[in-house]
Amino acid sequence: MSAPVLTEQALPSAPTASKRSSWYGYLRQPTVALSVLVLLVMVLMAVFAPLIADEPSGAGPDVLQAPSGAHWFGTDDLGQDVFAQVVWGTRTSLVIGLAASLIAIVLGTTIGLAAAYFRPIDAVATVITDVMLALPTLPLMIMLAAVVSPSVVTLTLIIGFFAWPEVARLIRSQGLVISAMPYIDGARVLGATGWRIVTREILPAVVSLMIVSVLLTASRAVISEAGLSFLGLGDPDAWSWGRILLNAQRSGTIAIAWWQTLFPSLAILLLVLAATLAGMRFNDARDPRRNGG
C-alpha cells in the first residue's frame, strides 16, 4: 500500500515544473503580454473609477467640445465629459461581463460534467443544449430585457442564462475524453463515488478550458450588454459603453461629434480583442500537441 503513496508524492513535481514553464511561455508571448496589460488597465480603471474621474451628471457649459487637454475624449451635447463616461462605463460593462460569464461557467460546467460522466443525463442535457444553441439568442434577450425592469442585475442574468450552452458543449466534449481515461476506471474500481470522480478527477482536468471559456464568454457578454444598452434596454441609472452610444444616437450628434462614438467603441474593441487573444493563446499554451508534449 505504500508504493502508490510514494508514487503520488513523487509525481507532482514534474507537472508543477511543467505548469510553471507553460505559464512562463504563455506570458512571454507579445500578444499575450499586451492583452493581459489591456485587461489589467481595464480592471484598474473600473475599480478606481471614482479616483480617476467624477461620475458624469447634470449639464456643463462645454457643449460638444472636441478632444483637448481639458477634455481628453471631448464632451457630449449636455457638456458632460466623454472620458468620464467611458471610465464609469468600464465599471458597469466589466461587472456585467464577468458576472454573466461566471453564471454561464457555473451552469455550463455543471451540465457539461454531469452529461460527460453520468450517461443517463447525457441524452437529456445534449437535447437541452442543442435546443438552446438553436434559439435566436439576440431577439430573445431583447424580448426578455424589454419585459423585465432594466437593471444591471437583470441584464447580467439574461446574458448569463443564454451564454451557458456553448460552455456546456465544450466541457462535455473534454469531459468525455477524460472519462474514458484508465485512471477514471481505476478510481471507479477502488470504490470512488461518481461525485468524487467528477469533482476530484474530471473537474481539475477541465480547469484550463474553463479559464478560456471565462475570457471568451465575458467578451461576448460585454458585446451583448453594449447592444442591449444601445437599444435602450440597459440600466438608465448606470453608465455603460452601450449607454454612451445610445446617448450619441438619440442626440443626433453622431455626424458632427465623432468622438462620442469613437472612444466607447474603441473601449469595446480593445476589451473584446484582448480577452479573445488571451483566451486563444492560453488554450494554445495548454495544448500539448502545440508544445511538443
Side-chain angles (χ1 to χ4, degrees):
M1 296 297 294
S2 60
V5 176
L6 292 175
T7 303
E8 291 177 359
Q9 292 177 347
L11 283 176
S13 59
T16 301
S18 177
K19 289 180 181 179
R20 291 177 180 175
S21 177
S22 62
W23 273 108
Y24 181 70
Y26 169 72
L27 295 175
R28 283 190 59 187
Q29 301 179 59
T31 55
V32 171
L34 184 59
S35 298
V36 172
L37 178 62
V38 170
L39 294 176
L40 181 60
V41 170
M42 292 282 188
V43 171
L44 292 176
M45 189 182 300
V47 173
F48 298 105
L51 301 179
I52 299 175
D54 295 330
E55 185 175 6
S57 61
D62 300 328
V63 177
L64 295 178
Q65 296 293 312
S68 63
H71 303 284
W72 293 352
F73 292 175
T75 61
D76 62 6
D77 60 304
L78 296 177
Q80 295 180 355
D81 189 74
V82 178
F83 174 75
Q85 294 177 359
V86 172
V87 170
W88 281 86
T90 304
R91 167 174 288 190
T92 302
S93 297
L94 280 184
V95 166
I96 293 179
L98 290 176
S101 176
L102 290 178
I103 293 174
I105 295 302
V106 171
L107 289 176
T109 301
T110 302
I111 295 174
L113 290 178
Y117 185 77
F118 302 102
R119 308 308 298 174
I121 301 178
D122 187 24
V124 177
T126 300
V127 171
I128 296 175
T129 302
D130 291 340
V131 170
M132 290 292 297
L133 289 173
L135 293 176
T137 304
L138 182 58
L140 288 175
M141 286 196 297
I142 293 175
M143 181 186 68
L144 288 177
V147 171
V148 300
S149 177
S151 67
V152 172
V153 175
T154 56
L155 278 183
T156 300
L157 294 176
I158 291 172
I159 296 172
F161 175 76
F162 284 102
W164 69 261
E166 295 182 1
V167 178
R169 173 167 286 187
L170 288 174
I171 297 298
R172 173 186 175 274
S173 177
Q174 183 69 15
L176 288 174
V177 175
I178 303 301
S179 298
M181 293 292 181
Y183 71 89
I184 299 296
D185 293 332
R188 192 181 296 112
V189 170
L190 291 175
T193 62
W195 171 257
R196 180 180 178 84
I197 292 176
V198 170
T199 57
R200 298 292 183 88
E201 305 294 343
I202 303 179
L203 180 59
V206 300
V207 167
S208 60
L209 187 58
M210 291 171 58
I211 295 175
V212 176
S213 297
V214 167
L215 292 171
L216 298 181
T217 305
S219 65
R220 289 194 293 266
V222 169
I223 296 177
S224 298
E225 183 279 327
L228 292 174
S229 295
F230 180 72
L231 294 175
L233 301 173
D235 190 340
D237 299 323
W239 282 102
S240 70
W241 295 332
R243 179 185 169 185
I244 301 173
L245 297 174
L246 173 64
N247 291 345
Q249 189 272 335
R250 284 179 172 175
S251 64
T253 59
I254 293 180
I256 60 175
W258 50 267
W259 52 88
Q260 280 192 260
T261 55
L262 174 63
F263 293 108
S265 299
L266 284 178
I268 297 172
L269 175 63
L270 285 175
L271 178 61
V272 172
L273 186 61
T276 302
L277 286 176
M280 293 175 61
R281 294 294 180 266
F282 182 80
N283 188 47
D284 294 342
R286 303 293 295 178
D287 190 349
R289 292 172 297 181
R290 294 179 179 269
N291 298 320

